[in-house]
């Protein structure tokens, strides 16, 4: 694991100026993500019960998860798809470690560390504005939910890979999922009707950003938290089963 | 490398004669990559993400004159203009320059940028076709929020064409810059980031503080998106609309001149790789 991470960092450092430029651009993108919020709260004190710093907290979770999604999950996913297409997955399968683990962390984009760092800054800023220091219990619950959110993101990725064994052109699917994930930047309570249902139970965006933010605010009920953890476990189980069944179907493309 | 344009009027006549063929091949390649174009169009959802936020905000009363219906009309029109003005020349141009395949294009008796423009423009019918459901939704939900002035509607296609030309010009300039610097794409990302805020893509320009709005009014970003949208929603009176149309096409001319100048300078440096 550590060797893989070191190789990725070295790879990025070779393009130093580009890395710096990319870091600056990440900050610009973050600023453009905050502009709508600034305009909204210039007009209103609260939206659907969410104040400005509370909303920042949700955006912080979103930025954090997005840095994981774009920093490790997506790049690794693209590598696996290339493996499947070229038939080189055999070499991964032959290695004496669990193949799902190996492919999941095969590639890391250290440039996304900037997003990771800016999400931490957003957390600090939001909590400072709220004059709030979360209790250990709340912090623990939030971290647990972060784990659950990552598990769901990762499971969706594994499910996408499993599709790659059957139909090869799925890199577009990642692209599509990334754009749906953009909706997770707002608290899930702004959605009404069918969308609210979909983003809570079918594609649990609420679990990824809204619930952890509520946990930090001390507003999350134990019931909801447990439901979220159970849901994440269900997703992870489904992904593992899909992975095993598609490996069974996998026949090497080479001789 | 020889300048492929030769004398101007002859080259222009020549290019016009080749245009139908160029559009035809461009259309064929769009059909070949239809899945990619569809996915790209479906993944363009930022206006809908913003609509979700603003309709929640406007539920408790209009914001600066925008009711929930007005927001719906605004963001659907934004999505429509965005999808119709899509363009990808910057990616192709930088790739061709890095890989040296630009040399092939230069050997053809037609200006490479014109060829690119024709290929990109040829995608418009397909885009329009894909947008039909969106247009239907737009008409259904927003027919009361749009303008009923026929002159403004007459200006809409011209404004969309102008928007497309400005975007193409910026992309061509950044792409041509790849002849001078190694990573010009960063510059394009910068344009995209600024444009998200200053073109009205994320937030209607009316909602910004006066100082930001004044800035947005003179910069080119507004003319790539907000201006056609404002026409459709009837947020401009006739005189103002015509005045802005002039400003938009002045920008088109400016970017065209800039592209040509830069291209000529770049050609003096270009040496193909490989053999």
């Amino acid at each position: 694991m550590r060797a893989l991470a070191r190789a990725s960092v070295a790879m990025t450092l070779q393009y130093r100026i580009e890395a710096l430029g990319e870091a600056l651009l990440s900050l610009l993108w973050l600023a453009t993500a905050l502009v709508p919020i600034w305009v909204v709260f210039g007009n209103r004190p609260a939206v659907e019960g969410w104040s400005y710093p509370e909303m920042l907290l949700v955006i912080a979770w979103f930025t954090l998860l997005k840095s994981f999604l774009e920093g490790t999950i997506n790049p690794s996913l693209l590598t696996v798809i290339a493996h499947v297409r070229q038939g080189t997955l055999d070499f991964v399968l032959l290695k004496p470690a669990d193949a799902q683990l190996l492919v999941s962390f095969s590639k890391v984009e250290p440039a996304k560390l900037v997003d990771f760092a800016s999400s931490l800054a957003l957390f600090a800023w939001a909590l400072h504005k709220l004059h709030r220091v979360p209790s250990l219990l709340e912090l623990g619950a939030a971290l647990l939910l972060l784990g659950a959110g990552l598990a769901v993101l990762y499971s969706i990725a594994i499910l996408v890979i499993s599709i790659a064994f059957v139909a090869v052109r799925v890199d577009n699917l990642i692209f599509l999922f990334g754009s749906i994930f953009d909706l997770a930047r707002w608290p899930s309570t702004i959605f009404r009707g069918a969308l609210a249902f979909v983003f809570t139970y079918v594609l649990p965006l609420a679990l990824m950003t809204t619930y952890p933010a509520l946990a930090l605010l001390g507003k999350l009920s134990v019931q909801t938290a447990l439901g979220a953890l159970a849901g994440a476990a269900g997703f992870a189980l489904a992904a593992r089963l899909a992975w095993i069944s598609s490996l069974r179907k996998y026949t090497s493309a080479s001789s | 490398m020889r300048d492929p344009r030769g004398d101007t009027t002859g080259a222009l006549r020549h290019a016009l004669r080749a245009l139908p063929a160029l559009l035809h091949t461009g259309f064929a390649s769009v059909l070949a990559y239809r899945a990619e174009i569809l996915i790209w169009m479906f993944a363009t959802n930022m206006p809908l993400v913003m609509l979700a936020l603003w309709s929640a905000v406007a539920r408790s009363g209009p914001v600066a004159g925008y009711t929930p219906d007005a927001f719906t009309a605004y963001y659907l029109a934004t999505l429509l203009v965005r999808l119709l003005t899509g363009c990808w020349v910057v990616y192709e141009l930088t790739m061709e320059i890095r890989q040296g395949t630009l040399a092939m294009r230069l050997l053809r008796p037609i200006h490479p940028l014109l060829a690119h423009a024709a290929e990109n423009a040829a995608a418009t019918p397909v885009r329009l076709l894909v947008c039909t459901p969106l247009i239907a939704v737009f008409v259904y939900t927003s027919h009361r929020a749009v303008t009923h002035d026929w002159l403004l509607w007459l200006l809409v296609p011209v404004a969309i064409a102008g928007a497309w030309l400005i975007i193409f010009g910026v992309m061509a300039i950044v792409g041509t810059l790849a002849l001078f610097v190694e990573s010009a794409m960063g510059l394009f990302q910068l344009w995209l980031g600024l444009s998200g805020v200053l073109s009205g893509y994320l937030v209607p320009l009316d909602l910004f503080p006066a100082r930001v709005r004044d800035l947005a009014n003179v910069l080119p970003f507004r003319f790539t998106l907000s201006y056609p949208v404002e026409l459709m929603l009837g947020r401009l009176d006739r005189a103002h609309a015509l005045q802005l149309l002039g400003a938009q096409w002045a920008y088109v001319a400016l970017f065209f001149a800039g592209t040509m100048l830069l291209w000529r300078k770049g050609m003096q440096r270009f040496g193909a790789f490989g053999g």
Side-chain angles (χ1 to χ4, degrees), chain B residues 33-211:
Chain B
Y33 289 99
R34 57 196 177 268
E36 275 73 10
I37 290 190
L38 265 180
I39 296 277
W40 178 82
M41 290 179 79
F42 279 121
T44 309
N45 70 339
M46 201 39 90
L48 300 181
V49 173
M50 291 299 151
L51 177 59
L53 175 71
W54 282 108
S55 26
V57 175
R59 249 177 244 148
S60 57
V63 186
Y66 277 88
T67 58
D69 284 346
F71 275 120
T72 309
Y74 181 87
Y75 283 110
L76 287 182
T78 304
L79 184 60
L80 192 63
V81 173
R82 176 63 165 229
L83 290 178
L84 288 177
T85 53
C87 197
W88 61 89
V89 65
V90 67
Y91 308 100
E92 286 195 336
L93 206 55
T94 44
M95 202 173 70
E96 282 177 5
I97 289 171
R98 198 170 340 148
Q99 300 180 345
T101 46
L102 184 67
M104 302 302 183
R105 288 230 186 224
L106 285 171
L107 289 176
R108 294 185 199 159
I110 194 110
H111 198 291
L113 288 179
L114 182 70
H116 273 300
E119 277 170 27
N120 278 256
T124 311
V126 178
R127 285 167 190 280
L128 207 56
L129 195 68
V130 178
C131 284
T132 358
L134 177 63
I135 295 173
V137 172
F138 182 56
V139 170
Y140 177 72
T141 60
S142 310
H143 57 94
R144 267 190 301 271
V146 297
T147 179
H148 292 285
D149 185 343
W150 59 268
L151 180 72
L152 293 190
W153 277 111
L154 217 57
L155 293 183
V156 167
V158 189
I160 291 181
W164 185 84
L165 283 170
I166 293 179
I167 294 172
F168 184 86
V170 172
M171 284 194 166
I173 287 179
V174 174
T176 311
L177 275 176
L179 288 165
F180 301 90
V181 292
E182 271 160 42
S183 53
M185 279 309 282
L187 210 63
F188 184 65
Q189 300 278 334
L190 184 69
W191 160 274
L192 275 186
L194 290 177
S195 155
V197 176
L198 293 170
S199 72
Y201 187 50
L202 298 175
V203 177
L205 293 177
D206 300 337
L207 300 185
F208 281 118
R211 205 175 304 163

Side-chain angles (χ1 to χ4, degrees), chain A residues 58-104:
Chain A
V58 177
I59 294 186
W61 282 110
F62 171 75
T63 314
L64 180 68
L65 282 176
K66 201 173 167 94
S67 74
F68 275 105
L69 183 69
E70 292 180 347
T72 72
I73 297 179
N74 279 354
S76 305
L77 199 62
L78 289 173
T79 324
V80 183
I81 292 171
H83 272 317
V84 173
R85 192 158 40 198
Q86 296 165 2
T88 45
L89 189 68
D90 305 22
F91 304 120
V92 179
L93 293 178
L94 285 174
K95 284 181 188 162
D98 184 66
Q100 188 182 345
L101 196 73
L102 276 180
V103 298
S104 307

